[in-house]
Amino acid sequence: MALTPHEQELIDRVQDGLGIAGTWEPASSGERFDILDPATGEIIKSVADATAEDAVRALDAAVAAQDSWAATAARERSNTLRRAFDLLMAHKEDFALLMSIEMGKPIAEARGEVNYGGEFLRWFSEEAVRVRGDYRENPEGSGTMVVSHIPVGPCYFITPWNFPLAMATRKIAPALAAGCTVVIKPAELTPLTTIFFAQLLAEAGLPAGVVNVVPTSNPSAQSQRLLSDPRLRKLSFTGSTPVGKMLLAAAAPSVLRTSMELGGNAPFLVFEDADLDRAVEGVLLAKFRNIGQACTAANRIIVHESVADEFARRVGEKVAEMTIGRGAEEGIDIGALVDERAVAKTARLVKDAVDTGAVVVTGGAAIEGRGNFFQPTVLDKLSSQSAMMREEIFGPVLGIIRFSTEGEAVKIANDTEYGLVSYVFTENIHRGHRMIEELETGMMGLNTGLVSNAAAPFGGIKQSGIGREGGFEGINEFLSTKYTLLPR
Ligand code: NAD
């Protein structure tokens, strides 16, 4: 199926050039790359393919805009963010449909992402005017110490394809609130949402050059070039842990400030005293939201042996009823995976799980024909040897591991280099408190399968990342602390 006339009209409104210094221009090489609809495999648009030199021009624009943006009154920066929030809400349907077309997520979830992503604009419009300093007497009584905060300076953002809007607003909103300018490289699979969002920022009155957008099919060349430029002051990356490690190494020679939102391998613990209705509802959300393609996706479902049969049966029944199809159509639960590689990876992990002893409760196979579809799948009795225990699945596959003691559950949960989020279902408040202390993750959902909120500090420990996005903490990633001594 080709795009509907309404979808085509929307795609036509999205710019296809590089957003540099307030203009939309072709790549200096003249090259372009194609964006596909993952549900049909059809090309929906092509966009300019930035060279490393183009990215340097984008940094030139960010550097040129930095001083005046930093000097703009906080209230004015706040008002711009608030106008952007209002505009985004007014155009919610357009952004939701665009994301659904270029990335494959169900339209209802895409609307949810517009709400979630938009909240960062509203939250940081409020935080922009609340940057605090400090005033202390020194212990010797001979002077006053003034602690203030200044914007870090021009930033470089690299974002993933799985939440094309929210991963951009989660970085851009606090940066703008703090007084920083931006060069952003969206994922090559989904650049249209970021481009459309930059158009919205211009409409909201953001001055030219404050946010610049440089999609590229060669992220490695671009990042190497920008990270070695001494004018760049900050890198914020969201994506996989291996790419994050390479970027950290590339940022080291210039001791660049970095924030890293990396991969996860979330444990989802269901104790024998859990409310099973809540746990089933929670796991469906934590696992199948975004077709399983979330860093916060429940990856290892660790269930007490006394309730595992019933839990597997109830989850299996719900999953078997899920509707599969092109996400842009209403009423779909499971859209297409982002590309063919994602389908192949999901199939490989399921085969490995079954080969190492898992039992298929429902699903289990890729769907033949057009588009990148995989059946929503429930596997029971996953072995500790299976690759799913260590790798992020990033697909609609839920694997149940059984345990007998609380200590064993905690050991399984912590047996990973990742530490982004955990989910715990128990009606025992003491056990819940023990889990808060014992699980090695930056975030935890206690009797809920969804933790993301613009007012909360989102981020991981261990190899899931460095820094926090959102909450009171989020703006600090874009501020430098300055201390001044005023002797008596
Ligand atoms: P990815 O690491 O392949 O790509 C992420 C971004 O990095 C893309 O823009 C890509 O173009 C870019 N990139 C790839 N190679 C690069 C290189 N050599 N130099 C510079 N940039 C490069 O990850 P992905 O497949 O797009 O996204 C999925 C991953 O992102 C998962 O691991 C997921 O857990 C993680 N993620 C984390 C969070 C979080 O907040 N912790 C949120 C969403 C996704």
Side-chain angles (χ1 to χ4, degrees):
M1 191 193 81
L3 297 178
T4 65
H6 173 61
E7 291 173 354
Q8 188 62 56
E9 181 269 332
L10 171 63
I11 297 288
D12 290 344
R13 281 193 280 135
V14 181
Q15 292 285 348
D16 60 1
L18 310 177
I20 300 179
T23 61
W24 295 97
E25 49 183 85
S28 54
S29 62
E31 296 291 326
R32 310 176 64 78
F33 64 97
D34 294 333
I35 318 303
L36 307 182
D37 178 339
T40 63
E42 284 174 14
I43 297 171
I44 50 177
K45 200 175 180 89
S46 73
V47 299
D49 190 354
T51 63
E53 290 69 34
D54 295 329
V56 170
R57 282 191 300 112
L59 182 59
D60 292 344
V63 169
Q66 177 59 49
D67 286 351
S68 64
W69 182 244
T72 301
R75 176 60 71 198
E76 207 174 311
R77 282 187 265 122
S78 162
N79 287 344
T80 305
L81 284 168
R82 179 63 202 219
R83 282 194 299 274
F85 169 76
D86 291 338
L87 273 172
L88 184 63
M89 291 303 117
H91 293 100
K92 186 188 293 185
E93 283 303 310
D94 284 348
F95 275 89
L97 184 58
L98 183 59
M99 274 194 282
S100 191
I101 296 170
E102 74 168 337
M103 182 270 167
K105 70 179 68 199
I107 186 81
E109 292 188 20
R111 291 184 186 113
E113 181 175 344
V114 180
N115 290 337
Y116 171 58
E119 280 304 330
F120 289 93
L121 300 169
R122 179 152 66 174
W123 176 263
F124 285 107
S125 77
E126 291 157 355
E127 289 298 284
V129 291
R130 312 215 192 297
V131 174
R132 286 176 296 269
D134 199 349
Y135 183 89
R136 346 174 168 164
E137 295 304 310
N138 72 0
E140 296 73 27
S142 59
T144 301
M145 306 191 291
V146 175
V147 180
S148 57
H149 294 102
I150 55 170
V152 169
C155 302
Y156 179 38
F157 296 160
I158 301 177
T159 50
W161 48 264
N162 59 345
F163 293 98
L165 179 70
M167 297 303 99
T169 57
R170 218 160 76 169
K171 297 185 191 303
I172 290 175
L176 298 186
C180 297
T181 59
V182 170
V183 174
I184 181 166
K185 190 208 80 61
E188 51 273 45
L189 294 172
T190 60
L192 301 181
T193 305
T194 307
I195 292 174
F196 206 42
F197 179 62
Q199 292 173 234
L200 180 141
L201 287 175
E203 207 183 324
L206 190 72
V210 176
V211 171
N212 305 277
V213 187
V214 279
T216 181
S217 65
N218 190 347
S220 173
Q222 182 184 98
S223 62
Q224 294 297 326
R225 185 65 169 269
L226 288 191
L227 294 179
S228 64
D229 192 312
R231 299 172 302 165
L232 185 72
R233 294 298 156 77
K234 165 96 194 181
L235 164 68
S236 180
F237 170 72
T238 298
S240 61
T241 297
V243 173
K245 287 180 183 178
M246 282 188 330
L247 292 171
L248 278 171
S254 51
V255 196
L256 190 67
R257 260 185 86 171
T258 55
S259 300
M260 293 278 145
E261 293 286 349
L262 307 177
N265 182 5
F268 187 106
L269 278 63
V270 182
F271 286 98
E272 63 275 27
D273 52 24
D275 175 337
L276 271 200
D277 288 338
R278 268 182 107 157
V280 169
E281 194 187 316
V283 84
L284 294 174
L285 193 59
K287 177 76 252 183
F288 293 99
R289 190 170 71 104
N290 220 32
I291 324 153
Q293 303 168 121
C295 53
T296 51
N299 215 51
R300 296 166 297 147
I301 318 302
I302 304 165
V303 185
H304 191 265
E305 57 192 6
S306 65
V307 294
D309 283 344
E310 189 184 348
F311 183 80
R313 181 182 57 74
R314 286 165 64 171
V315 172
E317 281 169 12
K318 294 271 188 198
V319 171
E321 287 168 4
M322 287 179 168
T323 51
I324 305 166
R326 183 165 181 262
E329 284 158 27
E330 296 287 347
I332 297 296
D333 297 315
I334 299 290
L337 290 175
V338 74
D339 61 11
E340 286 171 1
R341 281 188 316 163
V343 178
K345 179 186 175 192
T346 308
R348 170 177 64 79
L349 287 172
V350 169
K351 180 175 183 309
D352 169 85
V354 172
D355 287 350
T356 51
V359 177
V360 179
V361 178
T362 185
I367 298 173
E368 298 294 322
R370 244 162 40 130
N372 312 314
F373 292 97
F374 198 95
Q375 293 172 341
T377 297
V378 176
L379 304 174
D380 194 5
K381 300 184 180 159
L382 203 62
S383 137
S384 59
Q385 302 308 312
S386 68
M388 269 174 63
M389 295 288 281
R390 296 177 301 280
E391 280 184 51
E392 261 187 305
I393 304 165
F394 250 59
V397 180
L398 180 158
I400 297 170
I401 308 127
R402 295 166 178 234
F403 73 89
S404 52
T405 66
E406 183 181 305
E408 189 190 349
V410 170
K411 193 158 174 280
I412 298 170
N414 287 340
D415 184 18
T416 169
E417 70 266 27
Y418 294 107
L420 189 60
V421 61
S422 52
Y423 304 94
V424 172
F425 283 72
T426 177
E427 293 294 295
N428 179 334
I429 190 169
H430 305 294
R431 174 171 268 159
H433 278 150
R434 282 198 295 279
M435 292 304 107
I436 294 172
E437 285 172 13
E438 291 176 20
L439 294 181
E440 298 168 351
T441 57
M443 303 179 283
M444 184 172 136
L446 187 52
N447 294 319
T448 174
L450 187 64
V451 296
S452 301
N453 191 302
F458 187 104
I461 59 175
K462 294 161 80 176
Q463 292 192 24
S464 284
I466 302 168
R468 292 293 180 269
E469 291 187 330
F472 306 122
E473 293 81 353
I475 199 166
N476 295 336
E477 304 282 322
F478 300 98
L479 294 169
S480 292
T481 301
K482 194 163 195 172
Y483 146 65
T484 309
L485 178 62
L486 310 176
R488 290 239 152 68

